Each structure stands twice: as C-alpha cells, then as structure tokens.
C-alpha cells in the first residue's frame, strides 16, 4: 500500500509524469489549504469518501473545492440509496490515507476494487489539478490528463466523470 509522498512520487516519476510539488504545513480542509495554495495555478479540489447505508458500495468523489454536494441528489444519480461519509477505518483500510489526506490518486490502494472513483465533470474544463500526494503536508500540481492516464493506464482503474449535483 502506498502511504505517502516518498512512495508515490517515485511512481509518478517512473511513469514519466510531470508534476510540481508544493510543501506546506498540514491542512485538513480545502478551506484551510487555501491560505497555502491559493497562488498555485490549476483546479483546487476536495474529496469526499462516501458509502451507502448498507456499507456495500463506496465512492471517492473529487470536486472543485468550493462546491457543496447535494448528497440526496447524488444518491439518486448513483442509485446507491442513502449516502453518508465513510468512517476513518474504512478510509485507512481501503485507500490507505487518513482524514485530510484524501486524494483521487489514493484509489491505487484499493486493490479489492471496492471503491468507485468519480470526478465532477466540471473538472474536464481544467488543464491542471492540485491534489495531495497521499498526505496533507504537500500538494502536487499535474495535468488532469496525466492523472487520468496514470490511474487508468498504469493502475487499470476506471476514472469516471459525472455531473455532481450541487447543494443550492
């Protein structure tokens, strides 16, 4: 299981992906990260690790950091029943990250294929994306196309773009 940037960055380098690493103090919310990362170009995102009520389906949802998700509407889109946030233990055992360090690239730790990776289709308008490298003390900027290529082609995991309903 990849547990931090010391293990992830060599994988990105081996895949010959370009990225910029931005070190900063630990941040636990996208809003907190704004004070350290607002100057960085590209889409700033937040990640929601969700599950259905029966704990039989899990989703890792990546959206622009300012968007507020309508969970009831998203549940209808996913046909997954009532949604809630997955707990710390599931986050650690399935994705290998802790709260505050959730990132779409953590999907590479889901060897059992239990989690679906969903990105908001709004992100398709962006060239660059800013994500945590498996820990919340840094941000990496990379091309969205490179992130997708790494996850889908190198890791063989489907990355799906859907319209994530916003809370009004």
């Amino acid at each position: 299981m990849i547990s931090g940037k010391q293990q992830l960055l060599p994988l990105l380098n081996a895949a010959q992906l370009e990225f910029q690493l931005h070190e900063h103090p630990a941040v636990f919310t996208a809003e907190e990260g704004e004070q350290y990362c607002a100057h960085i170009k590209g889409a700033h995102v937040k990640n929601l690790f969700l599950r259905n009520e029966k704990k039989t389906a899990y989703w890792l949802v990546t959206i622009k950091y300012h968007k507020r998700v309508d969970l009831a509407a998203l549940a209808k889109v996913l046909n997954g029943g009532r949604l809630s946030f997955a707990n710390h233990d599931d986050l650690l055992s399935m994705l290998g990250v802790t709260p505050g360090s959730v990132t779409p690239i953590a999907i590479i730790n889901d060897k059992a294929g239990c989690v679906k990776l969903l990105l908001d289709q709004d992100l398709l308008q962006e060239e660059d994306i800013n994500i945590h490298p498996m820990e919340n003390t840094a941000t990496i900027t990379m091309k969205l196309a490179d992130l997708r290529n790494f996850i889908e082609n190198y890791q063989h995991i489907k990355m799906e773009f859907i319209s994530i309903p916003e809370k009004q």
Side-chain angles (χ1 to χ4, degrees):
M1 189 167 284
I2 307 301
S3 62
K5 66 184 175 215
Q6 290 79 12
Q7 293 175 320
L8 177 64
L9 299 183
L11 289 178
L12 297 178
N13 285 325
Q16 299 181 337
L17 298 178
E18 289 184 28
F19 61 90
Q20 294 80 45
L21 177 67
H22 311 275
E23 305 267 1
H24 52 71
V27 294
F28 294 90
T29 66
E31 291 74 22
E32 249 181 68
E34 209 172 357
Q35 65 182 310
Y36 304 110
C37 301
H39 68 284
I40 302 170
K41 73 172 188 136
H44 295 273
V45 297
K46 64 182 173 185
N47 302 277
L48 310 175
F49 187 44
L50 304 172
R51 65 168 176 80
N52 67 0
E53 197 169 17
K54 296 178 182 177
K55 298 183 181 183
T56 57
Y58 291 82
W59 297 270
L60 176 54
V61 178
T62 301
I63 56 175
K64 288 184 179 179
Y65 83 96
H66 65 281
K67 190 168 190 174
R68 294 183 60 220
V69 176
D70 183 335
L71 290 180
L74 180 58
K76 289 178 184 172
V77 170
L78 299 177
N79 195 25
R82 188 172 173 269
L83 296 179
S84 63
F85 290 92
N87 66 36
H88 172 86
D89 292 337
D90 288 340
L91 181 60
L92 191 57
S93 68
M94 293 177 168
L95 298 178
V97 293
T98 57
S101 298
V102 184
T103 174
I105 212 160
I107 197 72
I108 67 175
N109 283 331
D110 179 30
K111 300 302 182 198
C114 297
V115 182
K116 285 189 179 178
L117 177 58
L118 304 176
L119 281 83
D120 194 350
Q121 69 183 17
D122 291 351
L123 290 168
L124 289 170
Q125 300 167 14
E126 304 290 338
E127 184 176 357
D128 295 315
I129 188 168
N130 295 294
I131 61 173
H132 285 309
M134 309 296 277
E135 57 188 73
N136 65 353
T137 58
T139 297
I140 55 174
T141 304
M142 65 189 318
K143 302 273 182 239
L144 178 59
D146 285 346
L147 175 65
R148 187 175 195 176
N149 183 45
F150 179 74
I151 289 173
E152 291 188 346
N153 296 331
Y154 287 93
Q155 303 298 322
H156 308 291
I157 298 167
K158 178 81 172 115
M159 185 176 193
E160 191 175 343
F161 288 86
I162 67 168
S163 179
I164 306 290
E166 188 165 12
K167 193 176 249 183
Q168 300 302 323

